[in-house]
Amino acid sequence: MESSLPIGVFDSGVGGLSVARSIIKTLPYEKIIYYGDTEHLPYGEKSNNSIILFSKKITNFLIKKKCKIIIIACNSASTAAYEELQKINNKIKIINVVDPVVAELKKVNKKCNIGLIGTKCTVNSKNYEKKINKSNIKIFSLSTPLLAPMIEEKINDNLSTNIIANYLSNKKFKNIHKMILGCTHYHLIRENVKLFFKNEVEIINSNIIVSRYVKNYLITKNLVNKNKKKQNHEFYVSNYTNSFEKCAKLFFKQKINLKQHKII
Ligand code: DGL
């Protein structure tokens, strides 16, 4: 496997852009090929079978693009489709966004109450609870289905502040020490969540945890790009939207040539 090959990253929409940006901050010479399945979002409301189907099609697309590894930058797809995606091609490493965070939380030895907000798919599956499974750690989870579509549409007004506050004031979160943003879209409202808890709750930075994990993996496999030049990342969506292009521009501070590519 050539170290100069790109890293594939996918999500249902803009959420995974925050993961991709974090990877680039940690590994500045890697090229990203990003796919946002804007036609089928929100994934969190879909059946596992549909999420598996879309994720497989995207993974095959990224494999055709010769990606050296693929990051499922979506908690819902990490939950519903990870096992199936691993079966596609045993030469391509697939990394999900749940396991690195679970590994980090398993290191906590004190009594710890952790809040979790995520899509219905992620929360109902109890994926985090099952994987962490430590008696000193209690997870208090709530599905917050209005958030991803709101973030995708870049709605940032009083209504969105009220929706966020409404979810976070749930009594489940009264005595939490840490909070998992269990949907990659929610990293775009990270500051709002921090502010709501008056900086008294640690908002776990899954993006940093995942990008360090990716870096360690590439180092171990001798796959870090040795060609030290700035890369032109590629961005694809299943349904072109202006707001996606704007968001990608904002995140990557470069001209984005957003291409539409249908997977189905
Ligand atoms: N960003 C995705 C996640 O992490 C899902 C948002 C959606 O429902 O499409 O779960």
Side-chain angles (χ1 to χ4, degrees), residues 79-96:
T79 297
Y82 174 57
E83 278 180 20
E84 288 301 314
L85 298 187
Q86 280 179 301
K87 295 178 194 161
I88 294 181
N89 182 334
N90 59 12
K91 289 194 189 79
I92 309 277
K93 170 82 171 169
I94 311 269
I95 292 177
N96 71 65

Side-chain angles (χ1 to χ4, degrees), residues 63-260:
I63 290 174
K64 272 202 194 109
K65 288 271 167 198
K66 299 204 173 349
C67 292
K68 58 184 172 189
I69 55 166
I70 294 171
I71 322 297
I72 315 173
C74 169
N75 284 261
S76 311
S78 293
T79 297
Y82 174 57
E83 278 180 20
E84 288 301 314
L85 298 187
Q86 280 179 301
K87 295 178 194 161
I88 294 181
N89 182 334
N90 59 12
K91 289 194 189 79
I92 309 277
K93 170 82 171 169
I94 311 269
I95 292 177
N96 71 65
V97 287
V98 176
D99 289 342
V101 175
V102 166
E104 208 53 37
L105 290 174
K106 272 180 173 278
K107 293 180 193 157
V108 176
N109 284 320
K110 289 190 294 202
K111 238 177 145 252
C112 186
N113 294 337
I114 303 180
L116 162 72
I117 49 172
T119 64
K120 283 186 193 159
C121 166
T122 302
V123 169
N124 294 345
S125 71
K126 302 223 172 287
N127 197 15
Y128 280 94
E129 286 90 330
K130 286 180 199 155
K131 287 186 168 180
I132 294 176
N133 191 25
K134 269 188 94 188
S135 56
N136 61 313
I137 297 179
K138 278 214 168 76
I139 307 238
F140 299 86
S141 60
L142 180 74
S143 62
T144 47
L146 293 180
L147 296 184
M150 180 184 96
I151 294 162
E152 193 70 34
E153 287 301 321
K154 290 186 79 200
I155 302 167
N156 191 4
D157 53 13
N158 282 344
L159 178 64
S160 60
T161 312
N162 286 341
I163 292 173
I164 296 168
N166 211 292
Y167 280 137
L168 298 180
S169 50
N170 190 297
K171 60 178 186 304
K172 288 183 177 185
F173 301 141
K174 264 232 136 48
N175 295 309
I176 55 167
H177 306 108
K178 296 176 193 278
M179 174 63 104
I180 301 172
L181 302 180
C183 168
T184 50
H185 278 70
Y186 304 173
H187 291 271
L188 281 78
I189 54 159
R190 194 188 162 75
E191 287 309 310
N192 308 51
V193 178
K194 238 171 139 177
L195 221 67
F196 177 87
F197 288 113
K198 304 192 177 76
N199 290 322
E200 283 158 7
V201 169
E202 181 199 341
I203 315 300
I204 294 164
N205 200 327
S206 327
N207 288 346
I208 291 184
I209 297 172
V210 170
S211 33
R212 278 193 199 133
Y213 184 94
V214 172
K215 183 177 180 179
N216 285 339
Y217 176 80
L218 293 183
I219 291 173
T220 328
K221 300 288 175 193
N222 201 16
L223 279 177
V224 177
N225 193 3
K226 292 163 191 79
N227 192 353
K228 293 198 164 36
K229 69 170 193 339
K230 220 173 168 293
Q231 301 286 340
N232 279 322
H233 309 299
E234 291 178 33
F235 297 87
Y236 297 87
V237 281
S238 45
N239 186 31
Y240 180 90
T241 64
N242 244 330
S243 62
F244 188 103
E245 192 168 72
K246 266 193 201 149
C247 194
K249 242 182 228 162
L250 213 74
F251 267 85
F252 286 84
K253 296 188 175 62
Q254 69 174 59
K255 206 176 162 309
I256 305 290
N257 179 14
L258 181 63
K259 294 190 185 113
Q260 181 167 297

